[in-house]
Amino acid sequence: MHNTLTRVQNVFGFFTSVAFAVAAAIAISVVLSSQTPSASLQLRNVQVVKGRPHYYSTKREEYAHITFSLDADLSTLFNWNTKQVFAYITASYPSDSPASIPESEAVVWDAVIPAKNAPEHHNTYIHPTKSTARPKTKKERLSLNKAYPPGKEPGILKLDKQKPKYQITDVSGKIAERNNATLTLHWNVQPWVGALVWDNRRTVGRWQGLKGGEAAFEFPPLKATEAKKEDLKTATGKEKNRGSPA
Amino acid sequence: MADAIIEKARELFEGQIDFEGQRTAERMMTIALCVVGATAFLVGYITSNVYWTLYVGLGGTAITFLIVVPPWPIYNENPVQWLPAKGKGSADYDIVVDGQRVTSQPTR
């Protein structure tokens, strides 16, 4: 400390230690906040078609188009340390030989839901709204471009007959007539500082586990007649990076 | 003449402070940064906004730099008492080496 330079070095060094300690405190303080997520997920329709599911597919294979309805309240997952919540719905089903081959899990839909004070990002989810009328005021226009329904908070999802973002295939190329499939809602809370946490179904301390958010279904047989092209479209949201095929 | 200017620049960049001042500066740094860290966390927690933690933390650190780094006069209130300069001829003070008094003159 005998020198201006050494004083600068010492102050900066201690500042980094203090910053690290404050970040650790912020990360741990998340445990004290209570979470009460709730969700209800229903399958609306599932179609299995043979064709080329992706623009890069080189051969025809069976793929499934799963439409669903979701009514979820993930707003309590947003505490002061939440930057964004990544919500996603997967379809999982057991393999042909469950003893040796684990089950398959494919993502059907996902959404990046930022917290209110997170900076603007072109890939954040834009919640679909029922009314197609043009917005009249600036307030209306802004409320339609959010990751949550107008008038609600981040984490509220009200989707009815939602088209999937991704069409799913099986590694073997055959996905028709598979049984014991489940549609499940998951989430990943991405903090400003600290550990990533995924969805929990068990209650841990003040964090309630999620009940519901699951729907069992079976993959139907291959569609005999030609499925209509419009029925097989995926959700091309207004967010810039769309799921394929865009 | 150029030497005087360079000497002034050197003193400015060195920012020397005495030992008591260094002790005070280090204590100020520790207290100030701990207070800044605790305050930043509390402000963010109470307002439920991480950005406030960041602003208070960075602002408080800037203030700590201003308090601790420049050689303020309060850090120079206990200057080291150097012994008086050596005089020519017989020594002004006693230097005793191995039980024998020696002078500043080299022995022949």
Side-chain angles (χ1 to χ4, degrees), chain B residues 57-81:
Chain B
L58 288 180
T61 306
I63 293 173
T64 307
F65 270 99
L66 286 176
I67 294 173
V68 171
V69 170
W72 299 115
I74 36 167
Y75 297 133
N76 266 321
E77 278 167 9
N78 298 68
V80 178
Q81 302 294 337

Side-chain angles (χ1 to χ4, degrees), chain A residues 200-220:
Chain A
N200 55 314
R201 305 246 155 197
R202 298 179 317 175
T203 300
V204 179
R206 288 202 193 172
W207 290 8
Q208 295 285 330
L210 176 71
K211 293 179 196 26
E214 279 178 320
F217 68 104
E218 324 241 307
F219 285 100

Side-chain angles (χ1 to χ4, degrees), chain A residues 11-27 193, chain B residues 33-34 36-38 40-41 53-54 57-58 61:
Chain A
V11 174
F12 182 73
F14 193 53
F15 157 66
T16 56
S17 304
V18 167
F20 182 77
V22 170
I26 295 174
V193 284
Chain B
L33 282 180
C34 288
V36 162
F41 176 81
T53 298
L54 183 69
L58 288 180
T61 306

Side-chain angles (χ1 to χ4, degrees), chain A residues 31-174:
Chain A
V31 175
L32 298 173
S33 63
S34 68
Q35 287 182 349
T36 51
S38 65
S40 128
L41 177 62
Q42 284 115 29
L43 179 86
R44 281 280 167 252
N45 192 17
V46 50
Q47 294 174 295
V48 178
V49 182
K50 196 166 178 114
R52 290 192 180 80
H54 311 120
Y55 63 87
Y56 51 82
S57 305
T58 49
K59 59 176 170 35
R60 279 164 54 90
E61 53 183 350
E62 295 178 10
Y63 63 93
H65 184 273
I66 300 172
T67 342
F68 60 90
S69 288
L70 175 68
D71 186 357
D73 181 0
L74 304 178
S75 54
T76 51
L77 296 178
F78 286 84
N79 47 54
W80 72 306
N81 191 26
T82 307
K83 179 171 186 281
Q84 60 196 25
V85 166
F86 180 69
Y88 56 107
I89 292 176
T90 60
S92 54
Y93 51 90
S95 63
D96 290 329
S97 46
S100 50
I101 304 177
E103 63 169 23
S104 304
E105 192 175 8
V107 176
V108 166
W109 173 91
D110 56 41
V112 172
I113 308 170
K116 276 198 172 143
N117 64 353
E120 284 299 311
H121 184 340
H122 57 259
N123 198 24
T124 52
Y125 183 56
I126 295 181
H127 195 284
T129 43
K130 281 198 178 15
S131 68
T132 46
R134 286 191 62 183
K136 291 189 182 47
T137 62
K138 180 170 180 178
K139 194 169 164 199
E140 264 178 57
R141 216 176 344 116
L142 287 175
S143 73
L144 290 178
N145 250 11
K146 298 281 184 203
Y148 45 92
K152 298 279 201 308
E153 317 176 88
I156 309 269
L157 293 165
K158 293 203 184 299
L159 305 171
D160 188 39
K161 293 206 190 63
Q162 173 69 43
K163 286 202 166 75
K165 221 169 152 192
Y166 314 106
Q167 292 160 333
I168 59 172
T169 64
D170 185 63
V171 151
S172 65
K174 301 210 182 313

Side-chain angles (χ1 to χ4, degrees), chain A residues 1-5 7-12 14-15 18 22 25-26 29 32-33 79-82 117-119 192, chain B residues 13-17 22 25-26 29-30 33-34 37 41 44-45 48-51 53 58 61 65 68-71:
Chain A
M1 303 296 264
H2 57 88
N3 206 349
T4 306
L5 182 62
R7 285 196 292 280
V8 168
Q9 288 172 334
N10 289 356
V11 174
F12 182 73
F14 193 53
F15 157 66
V18 167
V22 170
I26 295 174
S29 75
L32 298 173
S33 63
N79 47 54
W80 72 306
N81 191 26
T82 307
N117 64 353
W192 288 107
Chain B
F13 279 109
E14 197 186 346
Q16 194 174 53
I17 56 179
Q22 290 173 33
E26 180 158 354
M29 172 192 83
T30 312
L33 282 180
C34 288
F41 176 81
Y45 191 76
S48 278
N49 191 346
V50 182
Y51 283 88
T53 298
L58 288 180
T61 306
F65 270 99
V68 171
V69 170

Side-chain angles (χ1 to χ4, degrees), chain A residues 168-239:
Chain A
I168 59 172
T169 64
D170 185 63
V171 151
S172 65
K174 301 210 182 313
I175 203 169
E177 291 181 88
R178 288 189 183 271
N179 300 324
N180 293 330
T182 323
L183 213 55
T184 327
L185 172 71
H186 306 271
W187 68 76
N188 180 6
V189 177
Q190 296 161 349
W192 288 107
V193 284
L196 292 174
V197 290
W198 279 262
D199 46 301
N200 55 314
R201 305 246 155 197
R202 298 179 317 175
T203 300
V204 179
R206 288 202 193 172
W207 290 8
Q208 295 285 330
L210 176 71
K211 293 179 196 26
E214 279 178 320
F217 68 104
E218 324 241 307
F219 285 100
L222 204 53
K223 213 165 176 65
T225 55
E226 272 301 309
K228 285 196 275 211
K229 259 292 182 91
E230 309 85 68
D231 283 350
L232 292 176
K233 269 189 163 11
T234 52
T236 50
K238 286 175 261 179
E239 57 258 30

